[in-house]
């Protein structure tokens, strides 16, 4: 019986409590620690592990995103557990889990995940695909991380972007074949869960366990900088959806978002620059989707 802790040394930038060795408090047996960024071949890593073994993933949403994409297609027989040590931890928040609790199994949550196509590549995502000022915030945050170990204040970046730096786009959004056009779009994320960006709740009614596999795309649009800035903080409580002349939510299984100029996009916090379009689709089998 083996128990491995896969930790991301870069998760939770600037946090004092992001040491994976805190897990020793939950286990009587010894743990083997492995830097997840040093694993070159996951198939080789998991090959000797059986059903009695366990692997604990330590990190944040970005760590989980990389793990689910790097291990796609690998038959993992052991249990997979998760302990949040990130800076945003929106996956943990969506499950209403206590960050100080013992690691919990995530095998049921990381199977049958939706996918997103961006610039000819396909990725699985756990929480969301963000497009607009949220991608801009990740872009700026990544630059700040390069020069400092201090925690990135994404809320501050968003406020400054809304006031001065970020320019909204026009967007064409297609949901299950129905096309919608919006002007002055600030954000247009597609959500698997309810939360992203360290606690923002763009789609408060989204259910990651929805058996139909439906996703939600939220569009924040149509107003100038000051009005948008006044309403924007309400997204942390999901109350922005009351602004029906500024916010629209569409649910579906096949979603595409196209902007009229390139901007940054983020997938579970991982940034891709210079994107004009993404296509997200459910993992529900095609026969269920009637295609």
């Amino acid at each position: 019986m083996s128990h491995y802790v896969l930790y991301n040394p870069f998760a939770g930038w600037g946090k004092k409590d992001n040491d994976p060795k805190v897990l020793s408090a939950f286990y009587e047996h010894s743990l083997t620690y492995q830097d997840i960024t040093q694993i070159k071949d996951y198939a080789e890593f998991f090959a000797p592990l059986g059903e009695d073994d366990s692997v604990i993933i330590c990190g944040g949403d970005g760590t989980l995103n990389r793990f689910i994409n790097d291990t796609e297609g690998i038959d993992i027989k052991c249990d997979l557990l998760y302990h949040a040590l990130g800076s945003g931890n929106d996956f943990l928040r969506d499950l209403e889990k206590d960050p100080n609790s013992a690691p919990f199994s995530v095998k049921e949550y990381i199977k049958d995940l939706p996918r997103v196509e961006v610039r000819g590549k396909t990725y699985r995502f756990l929480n969301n695909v963000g497009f607009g000022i949220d991608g801009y915030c990740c872009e700026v945050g990544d630059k700040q991380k390069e020069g400092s170990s201090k925690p990135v204040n994404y809320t501050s970046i968003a406020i400054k972007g809304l006031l001065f730096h970020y320019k909204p786009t026009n967007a064409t959004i297609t949901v299950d074949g129905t096309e919608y056009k919006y002007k002055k779009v600030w954000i247009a994320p597609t959500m698997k869960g309810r939360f992203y960006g360290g606690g923002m709740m763009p789609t408060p009614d989204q259910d990651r366990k929805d058996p139909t596999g439906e996703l939600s795309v939220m569009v924040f649009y149509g107003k100038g900088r000051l009005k948008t800035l006044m309403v924007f903080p309400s997204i942390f409580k999901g109350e922005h959806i009351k602004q029906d002349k500024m916010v629209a939510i569409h649910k579906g299984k096949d979603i595409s978002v196209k902007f009229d100029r390139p901007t940054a996009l983020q997938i579970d916090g991982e940034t891709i620059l210079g994107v004009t379009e993404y296509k997200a689709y459910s993992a529900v089998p095609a026969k269920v989707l009637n295609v």
Side-chain angles (χ1 to χ4, degrees):
M1 180 181 295
S2 301
H3 304 279
Y4 289 90
V5 177
L6 303 185
Y7 69 93
N8 182 356
F10 302 107
W13 288 83
K15 289 179 62 177
K16 295 181 180 179
D17 57 348
N18 66 345
D19 188 345
K21 293 186 177 180
V22 299
L23 292 179
S24 61
F26 300 111
Y27 296 91
E28 295 181 358
H29 48 71
S30 61
L31 300 171
T32 301
Y33 292 84
Q34 170 71 53
D35 182 341
I36 199 170
T37 65
Q38 299 301 310
I39 297 178
K40 305 299 183 184
D41 188 333
Y42 274 104
E44 181 179 312
F45 173 83
F46 280 108
L49 302 186
E51 293 180 358
D52 293 333
D53 302 316
S54 65
V55 169
I56 307 168
I57 306 165
C58 282
D61 298 317
T63 303
L64 282 172
N65 176 273
R66 292 189 181 188
F67 180 83
I68 63 176
N69 282 287
D70 290 346
T71 59
E72 184 173 12
I74 298 175
D75 181 18
I76 300 176
K77 297 180 175 63
C78 67
D79 198 8
L80 294 174
L81 298 94
Y82 177 60
H83 185 67
L85 291 178
S87 55
N89 298 326
D90 288 307
F91 173 65
L92 192 76
R93 183 178 288 105
D94 193 37
L95 299 183
E96 299 180 349
K97 296 282 188 179
D98 184 342
N100 297 313
S101 62
F104 61 96
S105 178
V106 293
K107 256 196 164 180
E108 66 173 304
Y109 297 108
I110 64 175
K111 65 179 181 179
D112 299 327
L113 289 171
R115 301 173 186 274
V116 58
E117 295 179 5
V118 183
R119 294 167 65 176
K121 293 188 64 176
T122 301
Y123 309 83
R124 295 198 294 172
F125 64 97
L126 185 68
N127 294 323
N128 75 96
V129 180
F131 202 19
I133 199 167
D134 43 3
Y136 162 83
C137 288
C138 287
E139 178 183 7
V140 174
D142 288 348
K143 292 178 180 178
Q144 291 185 5
K145 289 177 184 178
E146 292 175 358
S148 174
S149 61
K150 294 181 180 179
V152 176
N153 188 331
Y154 289 100
T155 302
S156 175
I157 295 173
I159 291 173
K160 292 178 181 177
L162 286 169
L163 279 174
F164 307 111
H165 306 300
Y166 184 77
K167 181 181 178 182
T169 68
N170 296 324
T172 300
I173 296 174
T174 306
V175 180
D176 292 345
T178 302
E179 185 177 276
Y180 307 89
K181 291 184 178 293
Y182 295 96
K183 294 183 177 180
K184 297 181 71 173
V185 173
W186 294 93
I187 48 177
T190 291
M191 306 295 297
K192 166 68 173 175
R194 291 175 295 165
F195 295 95
Y196 82 150
M200 291 190 291
M201 189 165 40
T203 54
D205 294 328
Q206 175 64 20
D207 180 5
R208 71 168 57 248
K209 290 185 176 182
D210 182 354
T212 70
E214 279 195 329
L215 305 171
S216 296
V217 57
M218 187 275 287
V219 192
F220 205 125
Y221 70 100
K223 300 297 181 182
R225 294 184 183 276
L226 289 178
K227 178 63 176 178
T228 301
L229 182 60
M230 289 174 61
V231 174
F232 192 80
S234 65
I235 198 173
F236 285 91
K237 293 184 178 181
E239 295 179 351
H240 63 298
I241 62 174
K242 298 176 182 178
Q243 305 290 332
D244 57 5
K245 294 184 179 180
M246 297 178 65
V247 177
I249 295 178
H250 303 286
K251 295 180 71 70
K253 299 170 184 175
D254 192 340
I255 297 169
S256 70
V257 179
K258 186 174 184 178
F259 281 3
D260 64 356
R261 69 172 178 82
T263 187
L265 172 145
Q266 59 85 16
I267 306 172
D268 292 337
E270 298 296 303
T271 314
I272 302 176
L273 302 179
V275 177
T276 57
E277 181 179 10
Y278 75 82
K279 297 179 180 179
Y281 49 94
S282 168
V284 174
K287 62 180 180 180
V288 178
L289 290 176
N290 295 317
V291 296

